[in-house]
Amino acid sequence: MSVSNYPRSVPEIISDLFSQLTTLLRKETHLARAEMSENIVSLGRGLGLIVGGAVLLIPALVILLQAAVVGLTEGYGMPSYWSALLVGGAVLILGIILLLVGISRLKIENIMPNKTVHQLQRDASVAKQQVSHDHEPRRAA
């Protein structure tokens, strides 16, 4: 933006304001799209890794839980149904806790374009300062 020594007319100021606002909105939209795309790709990768890990962990967990039931049955002489109920109940409680923690972390704030929102707030502040600067009364020297 060029600064000149002569006062600009209101139509020139308004035209310049709309031109700059259009350019700013176009650039901010581009930035928001890029940031959202980056966040969604990151979220997709994370979900892919979670699914891959779950596919491998489920069979391993089943085998370990069966071993725990057998261990309680043979090691402590507990009936197998009580061993299975005890192990299953403990795993159920742990699973519910993990599920609730995971759900609490999958919030919309994690994919929002925070950088763009912050930049828009800064742009609005600069625009307010510019408008107030343009409307300041000029003093004669």
Side-chain angles (χ1 to χ4, degrees):
M1 181 168 84
S2 64
V3 178
S4 61
N5 293 333
Y6 64 92
R8 298 186 300 170
S9 68
V10 173
E12 287 175 334
I13 292 173
I14 291 174
S15 173
D16 190 31
L17 175 69
F18 282 123
S19 172
Q20 289 181 9
L21 182 62
T22 303
T23 303
L24 176 66
L25 288 177
R26 190 177 312 122
K27 288 181 180 180
E28 293 298 338
T29 302
H30 187 306
L31 177 63
R33 284 182 188 165
E35 190 174 349
M36 286 291 290
S37 176
E38 180 181 310
N39 290 347
I40 289 174
V41 166
S42 176
L43 183 65
R45 285 182 187 145
L47 287 175
L49 291 172
I50 289 171
V51 169
V55 166
L56 295 174
L57 287 176
I58 289 173
L61 182 62
V62 169
I63 293 168
L64 290 173
L65 293 176
Q66 288 175 341
V69 170
V70 170
L72 287 174
T73 301
E74 292 181 5
Y76 293 102
M78 191 181 288
S80 62
Y81 58 88
W82 282 115
S83 298
L85 186 62
L86 180 67
V87 170
V91 171
L92 176 70
I93 291 170
L94 181 62
I96 289 172
I97 291 170
L98 292 175
L99 181 69
L100 293 174
V101 169
I103 289 172
S104 72
R105 291 190 181 180
L106 288 178
K107 294 190 177 186
I108 196 71
E109 295 95 34
N110 294 337
I111 60 171
M112 288 298 293
N114 295 324
K115 295 175 193 170
T116 303
V117 170
H118 179 67
Q119 185 63 39
L120 283 171
Q121 290 170 344
R122 286 180 36 197
D123 291 343
S125 174
V126 168
K128 285 180 187 178
Q129 290 175 355
Q130 185 66 33
V131 168
S132 67
H133 177 70
D134 284 345
H135 291 303
E136 287 180 2
R138 302 199 190 268
R139 296 183 181 166

